Amino acid sequence: EKVRLGNAVIPRARPQLLLPPDRSLEMTMIRGVGRVGAAVARRSCTAPRVVTSSPRALSTAADVFKVEFPGAFQGHRIEPPAAEAVTSKAELLEYFKLMYTMRRMEITCDNEYKARTIRGFCHLYDGQEAIGTGVNAALSLDDSWITSYRCHCIMLARGGSVEGILAELMGNASGQTGGKGGSMHFYNKSHNFYGGQGIVGAQVPVGTGLAFANKYKTPPGERMPVAIACYGDGAANQGQIWEAANMAALWKLPMIFVIENNQYGMGTSTPRSSSNTEYYTAGNLIPGMKIDGMNVLSVREGMKAAKEYASTGNGPLYLEFSTYRYHGHSMSDPGTTYRNRDEIAAMRATRDPIDHIKKLLMDYCAATDEELKAIEKDIRADVAAACDRAKASKPPGLDQLTTNIYLDANGKDAHPDVVRMPTYQASIRK
C-alpha cells in the first residue's frame, strides 16, 4: 500500500538512477533497464532546472525561487515528496560556507595526519558534505542524531567548532570532548548529538533507543522528536540493524535509518557485498526512500518529508543517500587499489556537491566567481588559524584521567580510590 508523504502528489516514475557515472550506471543496465538508466543518467547529470521568470534578477537575500531536481527520489511502499525545493541566495550561501568549511577541515585533517600531528584512526567525509548539511537543515535541535566513526563534519554541523574538532583529533584538552574521545567519539548533549561509534553498525541500536526515549517522553497525540542513525553500506547487512528496525516497526518509533551509500564498504564495492544493493528497500514492510546525496537540497527535502512521516506516529523509515567519498575508507587506505583515479576524477568533475551549490549561486542568484572565491579564501584562512590554535593546546592532565566515568550521589564526577596501571607501582591512588 502506498502512503502519501508531504503535501505534493507526484506520479510514480520509472526507475531512476541517482548516482549516474561509472558503477551505478553499470548496475542499472545489469538490472535490465539499460536504455532507461542511460537516459536518466544523462538527464540527472545536467544542472537542476530553476522555475523563475527572471532568475538573474534574484540578487538579494529576500528573494526566493524554486529548484527542481527530477529523478532525485525513489520510493519503496511510499510516495516520495515533490522533487523540488524553495530556497534563496542567503540560504544557499549558508550551505556553501558550511560545506566548504567541512571540506577544508577534512583536507587539513589529511595534512596533519601525514605530518603525524593527528594519530590513530581517522575517517574523512569529503565528498559527502551535502548529507551532513542537508540533514542538519531539516532537523531541529530537539531531534536526536547518532552516526558512525566518520563524524567530524557532523560534529561541525551540530554545534562544534573547527578548532575544537581539530584539537580533539590531536588529543588536546581544548578538544570538543576534552581530548579524550578522538576522531570517532564526538558528542554534544546540548544539540542532541550522540556522536560516532567506533564499532561498525553499533550506533543503530543506540539510535533506536533514542527514538524509544523520544516517544516515551512525548505526551500522547503530540508530535515527537525523531531520532536518526547514520551508517554506511558496509554495515547495512548486519543483523543488529534488522533487529533494531523490527522493534522500531513494532513499537512505531520515530526512527529514521539513514544509509550513507558511498559505494564502497572499506575496499569492497556494493555489488560484491550485498545481494540487494537497493538498501532503502531493506526494511521489507518498512517504507523507504532513495535520495540523491550529492545535492544538498534533495537531501534536505527528503529528510524533511521523512521527519514529517516518522514524527507523527507512522513508525520508522529507511533513507538511502547515494553519495561518494573522495578519500579511502580511512587514512590507512589510499583508496585507489579497488577503484581507479579516473573514477574519482569523474565524480569530482560531474557530481561534486560543493560545485553544485556554486553553480546555483552563480547561475540564478547573481553571485560572481570572484565573490565565491573570496569566501573560499576567508574560510581557508579561518581553518588554518583554527588549526594553529588547536596545535597550541596541550593534552589533558592526569587529573582528567578518571573524570566522566564515575558519578557521586549528586551526579558529579567522583574519582575512584585506585586507577590500575600496567604495574602496581604505576597505579594511581588517592
Side-chain angles (χ1 to χ4, degrees):
E1 182 183 355
K2 305 294 183 187
V3 182
R4 180 187 296 271
L5 185 59
N7 296 324
V9 178
I10 61 173
R12 176 155 302 279
R14 291 188 296 172
Q16 300 278 338
L17 187 62
L18 303 184
L19 196 63
D22 305 309
R23 294 175 41 261
S24 294
L25 178 57
E26 178 185 341
M27 286 302 297
T28 301
M29 298 179 75
I30 289 174
R31 287 195 293 270
V33 288
R35 289 190 296 274
V36 174
V40 173
R42 288 193 296 272
R43 185 167 63 251
S44 58
C45 281
T46 61
R49 293 187 293 122
V50 177
V51 182
T52 177
S53 56
S54 55
R56 279 292 179 186
L58 298 176
S59 59
T60 69
D63 289 320
V64 297
F65 54 94
K66 183 186 292 184
V67 180
E68 295 181 349
F69 26 84
F73 301 125
Q74 293 179 26
H76 165 69
R77 303 182 65 83
I78 203 165
E79 284 290 342
E84 62 186 31
V86 174
T87 188
S88 66
K89 180 177 182 179
E91 190 171 70
L92 291 179
L93 278 173
E94 178 186 346
Y95 297 160
F96 168 63
K97 290 175 183 177
L98 177 57
M99 290 167 66
Y100 192 75
T101 302
M102 290 176 173
R103 179 73 57 88
R104 291 306 307 179
M105 183 179 72
E106 294 294 68
I107 291 172
T108 300
C109 289
D110 175 278
N111 293 334
E112 295 302 322
Y113 195 94
K114 290 171 181 174
R116 298 188 177 183
T117 312
I118 296 172
R119 297 172 182 265
F121 294 103
C122 187
H123 305 81
L124 303 183
Y125 200 68
D126 50 325
Q128 300 181 214
E129 298 93 346
I131 299 176
T133 303
V135 167
N136 190 62
L139 299 181
S140 75
L141 295 184
D142 293 328
D143 298 313
S144 306
W145 192 343
I146 191 168
T147 188
S148 70
Y149 38 74
R150 204 178 301 278
C151 59
H152 311 159
C153 292
I154 309 305
M155 182 70 255
L156 185 66
R158 217 61 179 164
S161 68
V162 174
E163 179 183 349
I165 292 166
L166 292 177
E168 186 62 38
L169 287 163
M170 296 171 186
N172 290 335
S174 63
Q176 207 71 52
T177 54
K180 296 161 68 175
S183 172
M184 301 190 289
H185 302 290
F186 286 94
Y187 176 77
N188 191 347
K189 184 177 180 180
S190 64
H191 286 63
N192 276 310
F193 178 56
Y194 295 88
Q197 287 276 340
I199 305 301
V200 176
Q203 68 274 19
V204 180
V206 180
T208 307
L210 293 170
F212 180 88
N214 288 347
K215 181 173 183 177
Y216 187 83
K217 293 186 290 187
T218 302
E222 293 187 12
R223 187 181 296 268
M224 297 173 284
V226 300
I228 72 168
C230 298
Y231 55 101
D233 47 282
N237 296 312
Q238 288 190 353
Q240 63 179 332
I241 292 176
W242 169 243
E243 291 180 34
N246 183 54
M247 287 194 293
L250 285 172
W251 297 337
K252 289 192 176 296
L253 301 182
M255 177 64 186
I256 302 172
F257 297 88
V258 177
I259 304 102
E260 296 187 69
N261 181 2
N262 60 27
Q263 315 307 312
Y264 296 94
M266 298 188 72
T268 306
S269 62
T270 54
R272 293 180 60 210
S273 65
S274 301
S275 59
N276 175 13
T277 58
E278 302 292 351
Y279 298 109
Y280 69 108
T281 67
N284 296 330
L285 298 180
I286 299 174
M289 281 196 296
K290 188 173 185 178
I291 300 170
D292 181 359
M294 304 299 269
N295 175 354
V296 68
L297 295 179
S298 62
V299 171
R300 186 191 72 184
E301 295 306 302
M303 181 55 73
K304 278 184 179 178
K307 177 178 174 177
E308 174 69 20
Y309 177 89
S311 66
T312 51
N314 293 300
L317 197 70
Y318 270 58
L319 296 185
E320 177 189 348
F321 291 112
S322 293
T323 186
Y324 197 84
R325 57 169 164 80
Y326 295 149
H327 270 84
H329 170 74
S330 69
M331 286 300 298
S332 61
D333 169 22
T336 54
T337 56
Y338 48 86
R339 57 182 182 175
N340 58 52
R341 296 184 187 277
D342 290 341
E343 176 184 313
I344 302 170
M347 291 300 299
R348 286 184 182 274
T350 62
R351 298 283 290 161
D352 185 80
I354 295 176
D355 286 349
H356 172 75
I357 285 244
K358 290 172 67 175
K359 183 170 178 58
L360 284 178
L361 284 164
M362 288 190 290
D363 288 353
Y364 304 110
C365 302
T368 64
D369 188 49
E370 292 74 19
E371 177 185 359
L372 298 180
K373 284 183 177 179
I375 292 172
E376 291 176 347
K377 182 179 179 180
D378 288 343
I379 290 173
R380 288 196 298 271
D382 289 343
V383 172
C387 183
D388 290 340
R389 293 193 300 272
K391 287 180 181 177
S393 180
K394 302 297 182 184
L398 279 178
D399 61 319
Q400 295 297 307
L401 187 63
T402 59
T403 59
N404 310 118
I405 299 175
Y406 299 100
L407 298 178
D408 62 20
N410 299 315
K412 304 296 184 181
D413 272 318
H415 294 267
D417 293 334
V418 178
V419 179
R420 292 185 179 181
M421 302 297 278
T423 65
Y424 181 85
Q425 292 76 17
S427 297
I428 301 171
R429 296 169 182 77
K430 281 188 176 180

